[in-house]
Amino acid sequence: MGLPMVHFNAPVLREKGVPITTFDDALAKLTEDMVETMHAAGGIGLAAQQIGRALQVCVIDLSQSQRDFTWELDGAKAPLELIMPMVLVNPAITVLPGDDTRYEEGCLSFPEIHGDVERPDVIQVSFQDLAGIRHTLVCDGLFSRCIQHEVDHLNGILFIDRMSKKVRQSIDDEVKALAKRTREASKD
Ligand code: ZN
């Protein structure tokens, strides 16, 4: 089932997600719906806040993306087709040594708004799967960037917060117009 997408500046996007402690059918169904919603919107990542739930869970799918990245899941290079779409429950990121990279990001909560964001390239993320089993993923490139963007959502942080002043300023009119549309839609 597709879920309604929450747009900026709905208050839930600024809420820190509550940790997941119950790994049940309801969680499986929620993340299944999140994956469907992400695919329907043509996105590569979706956080619970974006469908109106302040929880520590996000989904990503990079199976259709250009594979200019590397990854290791629990110490092995698992085929991407086997691990995508990926559900990350209670994820926590550690930045590993490497350069920062700059890349133009978009966000399903900011339709048609894009801007360059600088982020660390290499990360390690520990997370749980739908059964509550812990995993460790090391990745770089778009894989890493996508996870950093989603985990930010889980902590109430948005990509516009990570932009340089200059980039943020260049999209300010669009961001304000979106906030206005969201505000007006919430009154209906
Ligand atoms: Zn986003």
Side-chain angles (χ1 to χ4, degrees), residues 138-154:
V138 175
C139 59
D140 63 13
L142 188 62
F143 203 159
S144 159
R145 179 170 288 273
C146 179
I147 290 175
Q148 291 179 66
H149 179 117
E150 298 315 324
V151 172
D152 269 353
H153 272 301
L154 303 184

Side-chain angles (χ1 to χ4, degrees), residues 13 45-47 50 105-110 119 146 149-150 153 157-159:
L13 291 176
L46 185 72
Q50 296 181 276
E105 292 187 15
C107 177
L108 294 176
S109 294
F110 291 78
R119 298 188 188 268
C146 179
H149 179 117
E150 298 315 324
H153 272 301
I157 299 165
L158 301 171
F159 78 145

